[in-house]
Amino acid sequence: MKLSVSAKIGMVMLAVFVVLGVFGPWLAPYDVGTRGIDLAHRFEGSSGAHLFGTDSTGRDTLSQLLFGARSALQISLIVVAISAAVGLTLGAVAGWFGGAVDEVLMRVVDVLMAFPGILLNIAIVATVAEPGLGIMIAALCANGWVGYARVARGQVLALRERDYVKAAIALGAGDARVIGRHLVPNLMAPALVQMTFGFGGVILVEASLSFLGLGPQVDYTWGAMLDQARTFLWKSEWVKLYTLVPGLAILWVVLAANLLGDGLRDWLDPRQRGRG
Amino acid sequence: MAVDVSSLGSFLLRRLGSGALAVLGVSILAFSFLHIVPGDPVDHLAGGEATPAQRAQIEQCMGLDRSLPMQFVHFLGDIADGSLGHQCPDPKGKPTVAARIAEVFPHTAELALAGMLVAVIFALPLGIVAAIRRGSWIDTLATTASLSGIAIPQMMFAPMLVFLFFVTLGWFPGPTETGLAALVLPAFAVGTHLMAMLARMTRSSMVEVLGEDYVRTARAKGLPERQVLLVHALRNALLPVITVAGLQFGSLLSGAIVIERVFSRPGLGTTLLDAILERNYPVVQGCVFVIALVYITINVLVDLAYGLVDPRIRRA
């Protein structure tokens, strides 16, 4: 079976984002720091000099978008990598050993799930005096691992009952060998799907936190741009453009991740085909 | 159909028990949060020029002069007497934490209800029709719309609603206004994301159920298609949808913080965020407790409803 068309579209869209995220800051025509400030050209619309106009201090919107892409890419990659590594390990271990280990993990999951995710993230960011990149990543990972742990645990519980796993145990294979040779390879597919969806989710939450002023303290994250737009809501012509640019960028990435995630899930698990 | 009372009773007890355990866990978390945060909470309230006597008074007011276990017992006492604690340094002059939360909660509740209503009204028909007419243009439309609805950031969607329906068309009141009409735009802003999720859920659940043997049997015995769809398919298909809707309602009831920000609405989420930024710890504790309580209660209710509708769950 081949990957669906929509999944391929998602993949291409995601690739565009990754390329812009990696090379964006070098492609950006203007500086986004204090050197980019140009008070003579504030609140401008689209023009030859500034494709997407300028912000409230005259900085180039396109350049902010490109720098913001780097920031978004960095944060989501790190958060997804850490969350997946921690969650998959914990979930697999809990599912495999069961008993007290499993019980403790599931109670921790219960408490973390007993509270809306974004408010937990906010509370964690607020533990430091100055919000920033590091604490935001920590906050996003603090509950980000839960989804992966649940996937891994469920998968391992099912795999334990499979004949080939039982056979391996009967032949005297140790825990490490069974986990490494039989469980991990089978976990890869659902983990990959979860990571793809997770990537989009992190972009959204990260933008929300930056929008609330709890992200890295720079003006060019997509969330911070949307927050700036909100502060000047009365300048409606300018605000429309300045809202749409980062807003559509977020939409682009999240949509891409969801399209690809749906496609991968169907592709890797044909029983799910067409249910999306 | 007879309901097995004893199994239902033990299911209820088990669910309530684990719910209570989670509330206790979250209140311990909320309590310890204050002691994890670096910096002295007294500094924030006292300001730079406080005399040692003033500082001692604030410390006493906040209960910080007691031992940790005593402080926790005191917090539990505040929960028991319904005040959820007092705002220092002036506990008499300022409302209790419970009063401050009670003031904003109606705003949060009305937005949650309205958002939920918007979501359900549009999501169910959309999901059902898409599932029945699978592969048709309406299915493509519904699937695309729900994917976009999930991916669109509220920070963009909400201002766009304001521009279109308040600034340009003038159909509905904009931010900071009050009244029922002013609820329309925030409700749509909140409801769209939820609608997208529920429509997707309804569609996939309905598609799955339509492939079941009992649906084929119902058709084979010559039941009218309408009855097959509504009685046999929809009832079963709605179970997972109810679960997701319930969970989402719980999270709406804890405050749609981004929408509150865009529309300058008061609410539980904003109160918590403000309290965190002001380092007003009694209010943080109180909000965390109330949010967790609401969230867990809704989860338990959803589970119970599920258990009532589907006897298989009770034995699990």
Side-chain angles (χ1 to χ4, degrees):
Chain A
M1 184 206 178
K2 278 199 262 175
L3 206 56
S4 67
V5 179
S6 58
K8 284 179 187 155
I9 295 175
M11 206 186 264
V12 172
M13 286 169 73
L14 218 48
V16 170
F17 166 62
V18 172
V19 169
L20 289 182
V22 172
F23 299 105
W26 293 306
L27 298 172
Y30 295 87
D31 189 73
V32 291
T34 43
R35 273 184 300 137
I37 292 177
D38 179 4
L39 295 178
H41 297 94
R42 306 167 66 202
F43 300 114
E44 280 189 359
S46 179
S47 68
H50 301 284
L51 186 59
F52 292 140
T54 61
D55 79 344
S56 62
T57 60
R59 277 176 288 197
D60 181 52
T61 308
L62 174 63
S63 304
Q64 290 182 322
L65 181 76
L66 290 168
F67 273 88
R70 162 74 64 88
S71 164
L73 180 65
Q74 240 174 359
I75 293 172
S76 1
L77 282 183
I78 297 174
V79 170
V80 168
I82 297 177
S83 305
V86 172
L88 293 173
T89 312
L90 286 178
V93 167
W96 182 250
F97 292 105
V101 185
D102 190 32
E103 194 61 29
V104 169
L105 182 87
M106 290 327 281
R107 289 294 83 79
V108 173
V109 167
D110 275 353
V111 171
L112 284 178
M113 301 280 282
F115 205 72
I118 187 158
L119 292 178
L120 187 76
N121 298 329
I122 290 172
I124 293 172
V125 172
T127 57
V128 297
E130 190 76 8
L133 189 66
I135 188 70
M136 178 148 102
I137 288 173
L140 289 169
C141 292
N143 55 0
W145 62 271
V146 172
Y148 299 95
R150 287 161 69 104
V151 166
R153 178 176 176 272
Q155 198 70 13
V156 168
L157 282 178
L159 288 170
R160 272 170 65 160
E161 303 304 318
R162 293 282 171 84
D163 287 338
Y164 62 85
V165 176
K166 286 186 174 163
I169 298 170
L171 287 171
D175 284 338
R177 183 173 168 85
V178 176
I179 292 177
R181 292 281 301 202
H182 297 289
L183 300 190
V184 172
N186 279 300
L187 275 177
M188 281 331 218
L192 189 67
V193 172
Q194 180 81 5
M195 285 166 82
T196 313
F197 285 122
F199 189 78
V202 170
I203 295 266
L204 262 183
V205 179
E206 179 262 331
S208 306
L209 288 175
S210 294
F211 176 77
L212 296 170
L214 299 170
Q217 300 299 296
V218 291
D219 301 319
Y220 57 76
T221 60
W222 295 346
M225 291 173 76
L226 287 163
D227 185 38
Q228 193 190 136
R230 184 191 62 87
T231 1
F232 296 98
L233 211 57
W234 38 273
K235 284 190 153 299
S236 55
E237 270 318 304
W238 171 80
V239 154
K240 269 180 211 162
L241 181 65
Y242 202 74
T243 304
L244 279 176
V245 169
L248 290 178
I250 297 168
L251 177 66
W252 175 280
V253 181
V254 180
L255 193 61
N258 281 333
L259 285 172
L260 182 61
D262 277 349
L264 280 178
R265 188 186 52 202
D266 292 356
W267 187 53
L268 294 166
D269 182 5
R271 277 169 304 164
Q272 294 280 336
R273 219 172 285 161
R275 285 186 191 172
Chain B
M1 181 172 52
V3 174
D4 181 351
V5 180
S6 69
S7 85
L8 186 63
S10 79
F11 169 75
L12 223 145
L13 275 180
R14 245 181 307 143
R15 242 359 239 111
L16 286 178
S18 73
L21 211 64
V23 173
L24 185 70
V26 175
S27 38
I28 294 175
L29 206 71
F31 174 75
S32 43
F33 177 72
L34 302 196
H35 300 277
I36 300 167
V37 177
D40 189 346
V42 177
D43 284 342
H44 284 277
L45 291 169
E49 285 103 45
T51 63
Q54 281 170 322
R55 292 184 60 92
Q57 196 198 343
I58 291 171
E59 235 166 59
Q60 198 191 358
C61 167
M62 293 183 73
L64 292 173
D65 52 345
R66 279 173 286 223
S67 68
L68 267 187
M70 276 315 288
Q71 286 183 38
F72 186 63
V73 170
H74 195 74
F75 175 55
L76 293 180
D78 286 338
I79 291 172
D81 73 12
S83 69
L84 293 178
H86 301 272
Q87 303 190 62
C88 292
D90 181 19
K92 295 268 180 326
K94 279 186 166 177
T96 60
V97 173
R100 184 161 165 188
I101 292 174
E103 195 186 316
V104 295
F105 194 72
H107 297 277
T108 293
E110 69 175 14
L111 182 57
L113 277 173
M116 196 72 206
L117 199 68
V118 167
V120 171
I121 285 177
F122 290 95
L124 291 189
L126 206 61
I128 294 168
V129 173
I132 296 172
R133 304 250 174 275
R134 214 172 133 196
S136 71
W137 65 269
I138 194 156
D139 183 23
T140 313
L141 183 78
T143 314
T144 317
S146 54
L147 257 182
S148 323
I150 289 171
I152 199 165
Q154 288 187 326
M155 297 87 76
M156 168 176 102
F157 187 61
M160 285 298 148
L161 284 178
V162 173
F163 291 137
L164 187 58
F165 294 104
F166 169 61
V167 179
T168 311
L169 297 170
W171 289 358
F172 297 107
T176 71
E177 291 181 65
T178 51
L180 207 58
L183 198 58
V184 173
L185 294 184
F188 269 88
V190 162
T192 304
H193 183 77
L194 193 55
M195 176 182 81
M197 280 177 61
L198 291 182
R200 216 170 122 92
M201 205 62 223
T202 309
R203 179 189 177 276
S204 64
S205 168
M206 194 73 182
V207 165
E208 191 178 331
V209 168
L210 285 175
E212 294 281 352
D213 288 342
Y214 55 79
V215 170
R216 199 178 317 145
T217 309
R219 280 188 180 137
K221 69 182 181 185
L223 289 180
E225 185 64 15
R226 195 185 162 74
Q227 199 180 342
V228 174
L229 289 178
L230 293 182
V231 179
H232 293 253
L234 188 59
R235 264 192 70 170
N236 285 292
L238 279 185
L239 285 172
V241 180
I242 291 172
T243 312
V244 175
L247 293 179
Q248 291 301 316
F249 187 58
S251 109
L252 281 187
L253 271 179
S254 56
I257 193 161
V258 168
I259 300 300
E260 286 167 9
R261 172 76 61 112
V262 172
F263 287 92
S264 305
R265 284 177 60 91
L268 207 48
T270 303
T271 304
L272 176 62
L273 180 63
D274 289 346
I276 287 175
L277 297 178
E278 294 163 17
R279 309 246 180 251
N280 189 339
Y281 295 132
V283 175
V284 175
Q285 275 183 337
C287 285
V288 168
F289 180 76
V290 168
I291 288 169
L293 192 65
V294 167
Y295 207 64
I296 292 166
T297 308
I298 300 249
N299 279 346
V300 172
L301 288 178
V302 167
D303 275 5
L304 292 182
Y306 213 111
L308 271 178
V309 180
D310 189 345
R312 283 168 299 185
I313 307 289
R314 271 177 258 153
R315 289 182 221 116

